[in-house]
Amino acid sequence: MKKYNCLFIILLAISLSNCGGAKKEDNSLFSFETASTKKQYVPEESINLSLSNSSSKEVDSIVFYINDVKIGTTKGLGKLSFEFKDQKLGNQNLKAIVYYEGELAEINEQVELVSSVSPQLLKYTIVNTYPHDVQAYTQGLEFYRDTLFEGTGNGSSPSGSKGISSLRKTNFKTGEVYKKIELAEQYFGEGITILNNKVYQLTWLNNEGYVYNADTFKKEKTIPYFKKMEGWGLTTDGKSLYMSDSSETIHILNPDTFAEIGSINVYSLANKVKAVNELEWIDGKIYGNVYQKDAIAVINPKNGAVEGIINLAELKTKIKQTENTDVLNGIAYNSKTKTLFVTGKNWDTLFEIKIIE
């Protein structure tokens, strides 16, 4: 790897010298003009990019980039305005390549794009309640062909006893488990989703996911994550997978390879929303449990803005309390009834609720 990096640097230097000079990062000669920028922006705003030239170098042109995408070129020390309206929320990496006196300089800076949307507090009504396996440490919940699929983890109780991670099909009305397979004790099952008659299941710390036939539960393959990370929630828009990892980031994955093809960062106004757990795709939005908050965030998948909040803390008062009772986790959407089914880790009840617009 070191030899490869050295060769890359040499080739890069040769390439740049043929263009009139070697590129170097030098904030002592040039820097982004702080008077025309600020630390945080919202999508409705524009940023005015310009450089200060402390050494009075003769500048031929400047090429500006945001997140390594070229946004424009100016002559001399010209200024450039850029609208953030189509950008995803999160850190925006600013870069300028300055051509001056036969040399090149690279200047870098960073600003943060935050949400301007005030989340709406959504109300709900309880439509029905159903029995739920109190031993199920729920990590994923999804309807498929009128059957409720559930993924569980091997959570620990205060007494130290542990459950067994599983994937199961259940009769949501009775709580009966039609079919179940269990993971080995060392694997902690996490979020699940279903795409093209395949069930995808994450693991928490084993850095891999599993693909099963949705009819037989036969495991078809094991897919490693694209980098070392925790597996939390999982959903799909019908083409790609969306995976949370305990941070504010939701990764967009190729379902065949788990390669990352994009990402969004979840924000509520100016605040990052971390620990988004179980996910569900509903009418073009991502509904995500916020771990240990007993609430669901409604997320715009285009930019990561939280547009709504469903406070479900009341539901925890309506279940049987045991030493194993844990947080709300589990969202399944029934497209026929237009209702949500929610439960929690080691809850004895599955709630069917309807959002009141």
Side-chain angles (χ1 to χ4, degrees):
M1 182 62 74
K2 290 183 178 179
K3 290 181 179 180
Y4 173 83
N5 288 339
C6 291
L7 178 60
F8 176 78
I9 292 169
I10 292 169
L11 292 174
L12 180 62
I14 292 172
S15 173
L16 289 172
S17 65
N18 289 337
C19 295
K23 181 172 68 175
K24 56 185 177 181
E25 186 166 342
D26 194 343
N27 286 30
S28 64
L29 297 178
F30 306 97
S31 60
F32 279 94
E33 186 59 66
T34 56
S36 60
T37 61
K38 53 186 182 179
K39 291 296 184 182
Q40 287 189 333
Y41 291 82
V42 295
E44 294 77 14
E45 293 181 309
S46 299
I47 186 171
N48 296 311
L49 299 172
S50 62
L51 298 182
S52 61
N53 182 6
S54 60
S55 299
S56 301
K57 297 293 185 180
E58 185 176 344
V59 175
D60 176 64
S61 61
I62 306 171
V63 183
F64 288 101
Y65 298 79
I66 292 185
N67 298 328
D68 288 324
V69 176
K70 180 180 176 181
I71 61 170
T73 303
T74 65
K75 292 291 186 181
L77 287 169
K79 299 179 180 180
L80 184 68
S81 180
F82 177 78
E83 296 181 350
F84 280 121
K85 63 181 180 179
D86 295 323
Q87 295 294 106
K88 295 178 180 179
L89 304 181
N91 290 332
Q92 309 294 304
N93 298 309
L94 314 179
K95 182 171 70 175
I97 304 296
V98 185
Y99 294 81
Y100 72 101
E101 300 177 3
E103 299 287 341
L104 294 165
E106 179 179 314
I107 317 302
N108 292 279
E109 189 58 80
Q110 193 175 77
V111 298
E112 187 178 23
L113 186 64
V114 301
S115 176
S116 60
V117 178
S118 294
Q120 180 183 4
L121 183 59
L122 301 175
K123 296 182 180 181
Y124 67 93
T125 182
I126 299 174
V127 178
N128 276 306
T129 59
Y130 305 101
H132 179 255
D133 182 3
V134 74
Q135 301 300 319
Y137 194 77
T138 306
Q139 299 288 59
L141 208 61
E142 187 160 336
F143 273 103
Y144 180 62
R145 294 176 179 169
D146 297 324
T147 299
L148 187 64
F149 284 64
E150 183 170 8
T152 72
N154 52 349
S156 298
S157 70
S159 64
S161 62
K162 295 179 66 176
I164 296 293
S165 296
S166 69
L167 177 65
R168 52 180 75 183
K169 297 180 187 181
T170 67
N171 180 331
F172 72 88
K173 292 184 178 180
T174 66
E176 176 191 358
V177 178
Y178 291 136
K179 192 177 189 66
K180 181 172 73 170
I181 59 170
E182 295 182 340
L183 279 63
E185 186 177 354
Q186 67 268 31
Y187 297 101
F188 194 111
E190 280 282 351
I192 66 166
T193 196
I194 303 163
L195 177 63
N196 298 328
N197 204 44
K198 300 179 188 298
V199 183
Y200 293 81
Q201 182 180 35
L202 300 177
T203 59
W204 178 30
L205 299 176
N206 295 89
N207 223 62
E208 61 188 22
Y210 309 124
V211 184
Y212 307 88
N213 180 288
D215 297 320
T216 65
F217 277 4
K218 179 182 178 182
K219 185 188 287 187
E220 296 184 349
K221 58 181 173 180
T222 297
I223 309 178
Y225 298 162
F226 66 92
K227 67 175 184 178
K228 187 171 178 57
M229 61 196 294
E230 294 183 11
W232 280 44
L234 193 66
T235 191
T236 178
D237 62 359
K239 295 180 180 179
S240 303
L241 304 180
Y242 290 73
M243 170 188 178
S244 62
D245 66 357
S246 83
S247 71
E248 73 276 9
T249 301
I250 295 178
H251 306 277
I252 306 172
L253 308 179
N254 179 313
D256 296 321
T257 64
F258 271 28
E260 186 180 44
I261 56 178
S263 66
I264 58 171
N265 298 302
V266 183
Y267 276 78
S268 179
L269 293 174
N271 303 303
K272 296 176 181 178
V273 180
K274 298 187 177 183
V276 178
N277 203 356
E278 217 272 295
L279 306 176
E280 183 81 356
W281 188 277
I282 304 174
D283 293 336
K285 306 294 182 181
I286 297 174
Y287 284 54
N289 284 121
V290 183
Y291 184 53
Q292 295 186 331
K293 299 297 183 183
D294 291 328
I296 294 174
V298 182
I299 304 161
N300 184 335
K302 294 181 179 179
N303 61 11
V306 174
E307 298 179 340
I309 295 288
I310 310 169
N311 182 358
L312 297 176
E314 175 197 17
L315 297 185
K316 200 170 183 179
T317 68
K318 298 180 180 296
I319 64 174
K320 180 180 179 181
Q321 303 295 319
T322 71
E323 67 167 3
N324 294 333
T325 301
D326 210 321
V327 298
L328 176 86
N329 203 49
I331 313 167
Y333 180 64
N334 189 321
S335 59
K336 291 184 177 180
T337 60
K338 307 287 186 188
T339 54
L340 275 67
F341 288 71
V342 297
T343 188
K345 301 179 180 185
N346 300 125
W347 285 22
D348 70 339
T349 305
L350 175 70
F351 294 89
E352 182 182 4
I353 65 172
K354 189 173 185 65
I355 304 303
I356 303 172
E357 296 295 339

